[in-house]
Amino acid sequence: ETGVTQTPRHLVMGMTNKKSLKCEQHLGHNAMYWYKQSAKKPLELMFVYSLEERVENNSVPSRFSPECPNSSHLFLHLHTLQPEDSALYLCASSQAHRGDYGYTFGSGTRLTVV
Amino acid sequence: DAKTTQPNSMESNEEEPVHLPCNHSTISGTDYIHWYRQLPSQGPEYVIHGLTSNVNNRMASLAIAEDRKSSTLILHRATLRDAAVYYCILSSNSNSGYALNFGKGTSLLVTP
């Protein structure tokens, strides 16, 4: 365990389903991130929450909806996904506005859209 | 975003030192140099970071060129468990803070 816990580890969903990914950290960090890693591609930054406020949305389709109710929890709500959305979804946390601070990543949720 | 250039892959023998290079010729004065690695089926793991001076920790050493346009991650004795993709990333201040943007990294193969 890295200190960042993601659930579920694996998820298979149909294109008409609605599901949510959960991320939790108790490291005292105040910035949280969602990344997507498709097969054979680099990690893509999706969303950034700093001090519980969304500060970046990297042109992510609206079928992905993030939520950050407090500094310890981050959700990614999924609806009407496409097969090309199948990927490893990674959550990370850090200290906001600190370039000299490392990120801690979770183990990810492996999502398959059928 | 300032970008980095790394070799696609490198190979090393077990118990030998490994030097992983990274070029970042457009680095700005406030950019931190971060290194992460990702083992198969896992999330990335922080390795080391630096600004201007060389850095050492229990995992690795980071050598930063005097002009900061390149850096080298040094694994002093490679083990089979060090086989991973290694990412060199510049942490740049922006509206979203110091968000990390990953490239393709270097895939390190360690052979017995």
Side-chain angles (χ1 to χ4, degrees):
Chain A
E1 286 298 328
T2 66
V4 175
T5 303
Q6 290 189 243
T7 55
R9 291 296 303 274
H10 300 272
L11 177 63
V12 179
M13 60 185 289
M15 289 189 283
T16 58
N17 291 159
K18 289 184 180 180
K19 297 286 185 182
S20 295
L21 309 184
K22 180 182 176 182
C23 177
E24 184 173 356
Q25 60 89 11
H26 296 287
L27 300 170
H29 294 165
N30 55 19
M32 297 188 78
Y33 312 83
W34 279 117
Y35 284 84
K36 174 185 177 182
Q37 188 172 33
S38 304
K40 309 292 186 185
K41 288 187 177 181
L43 280 78
E44 301 171 51
L45 179 62
M46 300 175 73
F47 300 105
V48 178
Y49 275 85
S50 177
L51 304 172
E52 300 169 36
E53 179 182 341
R54 190 194 313 181
V55 295
E56 185 155 335
N57 175 345
N58 273 344
S59 303
V60 178
S62 59
R63 57 185 183 269
F64 295 91
S65 175
E67 179 189 3
C68 187
N70 55 61
S71 61
S72 299
H73 295 86
L74 184 66
F75 295 90
L76 188 63
H77 304 298
L78 316 171
H79 64 97
T80 59
L81 295 192
Q82 304 298 312
E84 59 265 29
D85 297 321
S86 299
L88 181 67
Y89 288 85
L90 290 157
C91 171
S93 70
S94 183
Q95 288 293 346
H97 305 293
R98 290 283 303 275
D100 61 341
Y101 205 91
Y103 280 30
T104 303
F105 281 83
S107 298
T109 294
R110 175 71 62 185
L111 173 67
T112 303
V113 181
V114 298
Chain B
D1 287 338
K3 294 190 175 170
T4 62
T5 304
Q6 300 177 253
N8 288 333
S9 62
M10 290 185 65
E11 191 169 338
S12 173
N13 294 322
E14 197 177 10
E15 298 189 5
E16 288 188 356
V18 182
H19 291 236
L20 297 165
C22 181
N23 287 321
H24 28 79
S25 58
T26 59
I27 191 170
S28 75
T30 57
D31 291 344
Y32 288 85
I33 303 161
H34 282 242
W35 283 83
Y36 287 76
R37 71 180 186 181
Q38 187 174 21
L39 281 66
S41 301
Q42 294 188 26
E45 174 189 28
Y46 167 82
V47 177
I48 200 166
H49 79 273
L51 185 62
T52 56
S53 302
N54 295 344
V55 184
N56 300 296
N57 67 20
R58 64 175 180 81
M59 289 183 71
S61 295
L62 177 61
I64 301 173
E66 196 168 333
D67 63 4
R68 300 212 322 131
K69 293 185 176 182
S70 65
S71 60
T72 303
L73 180 71
I74 303 166
L75 307 179
H76 296 287
R77 284 183 72 226
T79 70
L80 296 178
R81 288 177 293 180
D82 290 323
V85 178
Y86 286 78
Y87 299 98
C88 169
I89 306 166
L90 298 183
S91 181
S92 304
N93 195 12
S94 67
N95 291 336
S96 57
Y98 284 88
L100 298 181
N101 288 288
F102 285 73
K104 295 181 180 179
T106 296
S107 180
L108 176 66
L109 176 67
V110 180
T111 53

